[in-house]
């Protein structure tokens, strides 16, 4: 399956961002500031308990994304290596 919302993924996972919702300009700028943009490889490290933020690794840095925002990021799994 492809283009699933990031919010539906289980950690740990290596993913590639396929698209982000562009309906909210402020949210789109937030994604850009975090480096969560189409074509970017990301790693879903964990999700904090009780519907807490998702912890991502983007370009070597850790960022947090709320579950609500993660519903607006659509991803595919990166192919297995090795």
């Amino acid at each position: 399956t492809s283009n699933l919302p990031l919010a539906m993924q289980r950690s740990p996972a290596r993913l590639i961002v396929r698209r982000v919702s562009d309906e909210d300009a402020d949210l789109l700028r937030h994604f850009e500031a975090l480096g969560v943009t189409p074509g970017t490889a990301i790693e879903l490290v964990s999700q904090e308990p009780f519907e807490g933020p998702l912890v991502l690794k983007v370009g070597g840095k850790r960022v947090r994304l709320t579950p609500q925002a993660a519903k607006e990021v659509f991803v595919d799994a990166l192919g297995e290596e090795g």
Side-chain angles (χ1 to χ4, degrees):
T1 50
S2 62
N3 280 318
L4 289 173
L6 176 57
M8 292 179 64
Q9 303 298 315
R10 298 270 183 247
S11 63
R14 296 183 66 227
L15 307 162
I16 186 158
V17 178
R18 291 298 182 202
R19 63 187 178 90
V20 295
S21 172
D22 59 3
E23 292 179 14
D24 182 330
D26 289 334
L27 187 57
L28 191 57
R29 281 191 288 275
H30 180 61
F31 291 146
E32 288 174 357
L34 295 177
V36 178
T37 55
T40 302
I42 63 173
E43 186 177 341
L44 176 54
V45 177
S46 63
Q47 180 171 5
E48 294 183 6
F50 307 109
E51 311 241 340
L54 286 76
V55 180
L56 308 174
K57 209 169 183 183
V58 182
K61 67 181 183 201
R62 284 184 183 234
V63 299
R64 284 177 163 72
L65 200 59
T66 66
Q68 190 65 33
K71 291 177 183 172
E72 306 300 325
V73 178
F74 298 87
V75 298
D76 284 336
L78 271 180
E80 293 299 313
E81 296 176 20

